[in-house]
Amino acid sequence: MEIPKGPSIAELIDEYHQEHREGPRPHLGASLLGHPCDRFLWLSFRWAVIEQFPGRILRLFRRGQMEEAVIVKDLESIGLKIHSTGGEQSRVDFGSHVSGSVDGIIESGVPEALKSRHILECKTHGAKSFKTLQSKGLQAAKPMHWCQMQLYMHGTKIDRGLYYAVCKDNDEIYTERVHYDKQAAQMLVDRGHRIALVERMPEPLSTDPSWYQCRFCPCHDFCFGSKTTKEVNCRTCAHVTPTPEGTWTCARGGNCEIPLDVQREGCAYHVIHPDLVPWEWLGGSEDGLCANYIINGVKYAVGEPDANVYSSKELLGIAEGSQTIEEVDVPF
């Protein structure tokens, strides 16, 4: 008798991680601000493009996070004094939605500067990435990591950092001390504020879909293909505005502040931001509750659905062809 086959253990574990993945981060993180494309950062912060990682990659991320405790233990074993690690990480907050968390703070014991304080940044690398890091150094090989450390030094007022990298293939270690560059750090903070608060979508890094920095970007389809968000939440809504105080407000609700859990779900009044769809924008209704678009030569109203108005989800379904007017049961 042949034993019936079902999902493998690996498949079940990966499915579990996919089902329990965390939602997108609420802030514009220091780990992202070294990214070369303003549009990528804006779309990510607006939750307009949310990369869906498979379970295996989510497990890899978890392994990188778990490695931090091992790194700290090894550093402490050779005399470094470290705190603010794990669940007690120090947070740096630059206001206007820009912030991040430091892997650790070293009070003393770094061999080249025994009495100097350093921020600690821990990373794991594959073999190819690790060799590039060894040959080129941090700033050239991993500019986003270098920028991340500059922001952490800026926020903690600690002028030195220790970058600790581990090769996942052979457990080889690479360390590099990084010095604070005040001008570079301030430029990154200013960039973060500008991107977080701007209402309209920035231009892309390149208009060439084959450009090496665009080819594998999670926003590639948005920029060069559909030009349409798949996400309906408060941050993709035309009614909503990010504020310098680090909050989000809704014009539809009298400019009230929107709690984070509400932001993730959106509401029935959602109107797709005009930069997040390729449709022709005809402006809002007189009462300011709805907006009008032309899709394939047909005029549609979007807002709280009724006999003449479609919800954002319904309109996205119609535009991509997965739904028809009859299927959403709204007379036209």
Side-chain angles (χ1 to χ4, degrees):
M1 175 181 176
E2 184 177 352
I3 298 175
K5 293 184 179 179
S8 69
I9 290 176
E11 289 171 335
L12 290 171
I13 290 173
D14 284 348
E15 286 176 8
Y16 171 85
H17 284 282
Q18 288 171 211
E19 291 171 0
H20 293 83
R21 62 166 60 96
E22 294 181 2
R25 63 183 62 187
H27 58 281
L28 186 49
S31 61
L32 286 182
L33 272 174
H35 193 283
C37 182
D38 284 2
R39 176 177 287 188
F40 167 84
L41 291 172
W42 190 85
L43 290 170
S44 299
F45 177 60
R46 290 271 178 162
W47 300 345
V49 175
I50 301 174
E51 190 168 10
Q52 302 298 326
F53 295 102
R56 182 183 67 83
I57 301 301
L58 294 171
R59 289 190 290 107
L60 275 174
F61 292 159
R62 181 187 62 175
R63 177 166 293 183
Q65 293 168 350
M66 294 172 65
E67 187 72 24
E68 291 175 13
V70 176
I71 290 171
V72 169
K73 187 174 182 180
D74 281 345
L75 289 173
E76 289 177 333
S77 72
I78 62 169
L80 277 70
K81 305 300 182 184
I82 308 173
H83 62 85
S84 302
T85 62
E88 299 178 350
Q89 289 179 324
S90 291
R91 189 165 185 80
V92 292
D93 191 341
F94 303 104
S96 298
H97 303 275
V98 179
S99 62
S101 297
V102 186
D103 286 343
I105 294 177
I106 302 170
E107 290 294 336
S108 63
V110 176
E112 299 92 337
L114 289 172
K115 297 182 179 180
S116 297
R117 301 180 79 208
H118 293 67
I119 62 102
L120 172 65
E121 183 60 30
C122 308
K123 299 291 185 187
T124 58
H125 293 255
K128 182 179 179 181
S129 174
F130 191 83
K131 288 180 180 178
T132 303
L133 178 64
Q134 286 178 310
S135 63
K136 294 186 176 181
L138 177 62
Q139 188 171 2
K142 293 292 178 182
M144 286 183 65
H145 295 175
W146 184 86
C147 289
Q148 182 179 2
M149 293 185 73
Q150 292 301 327
L151 286 164
Y152 292 159
M153 287 186 278
H154 191 66
T156 59
K157 296 181 170 55
I158 297 173
D159 65 0
R160 303 183 193 191
L162 178 68
Y163 184 81
Y164 189 116
V166 178
C167 178
K168 291 178 285 188
D169 297 72
N170 57 21
D171 224 35
E172 192 172 356
I173 295 170
Y174 172 89
T175 62
E176 180 177 330
R177 292 176 65 230
V178 179
H179 287 267
Y180 173 49
D181 184 329
K182 182 178 180 179
Q183 182 178 10
Q186 188 59 57
M187 288 177 64
L188 288 164
V189 172
D190 293 343
R191 183 191 189 208
H193 290 166
R194 171 175 55 81
I195 292 171
L197 298 177
V198 68
E199 290 288 343
R200 304 308 299 263
M201 182 173 65
E203 292 298 313
L205 176 67
S206 172
T207 57
D208 179 0
S210 65
W211 180 247
Y212 78 102
Q213 289 170 303
C214 296
R215 276 186 300 165
F216 302 107
C217 176
C219 300
H220 187 277
D221 177 68
F222 179 91
C223 290
F224 303 108
S226 70
K227 296 181 170 61
T228 305
T229 184
K230 296 179 175 63
E231 309 298 335
V232 176
N233 56 63
C234 282
R235 298 195 184 188
T236 60
C237 179
H239 290 309
V240 174
T241 301
T243 72
E245 293 74 34
T247 63
W248 292 78
T249 60
C250 177
R252 176 67 182 76
N255 292 318
C256 62
E257 182 177 334
I258 314 169
L260 179 59
D261 58 337
V262 176
Q263 291 176 34
R264 297 191 188 280
E265 297 299 324
C267 73
Y269 298 102
H270 188 280
V271 171
I272 305 172
H273 191 293
D275 290 346
L276 298 178
V277 287
W279 316 326
E280 182 182 352
W281 167 265
L282 298 179
S285 60
E286 291 185 6
D287 59 12
L289 302 182
C290 303
N292 298 293
Y293 283 106
I294 291 181
I295 306 174
N296 298 325
V298 180
K299 179 180 175 181
Y300 296 90
V302 58
E304 185 181 23
D306 61 22
N308 300 301
V309 180
Y310 296 86
S311 72
S312 290
K313 289 183 179 179
E314 289 170 341
L315 212 57
L316 287 169
I318 292 169
E320 71 175 10
S322 62
Q323 288 181 302
T324 66
I325 294 172
E326 292 75 17
E327 285 175 328
V328 299
D329 195 28
V330 178
F332 184 74

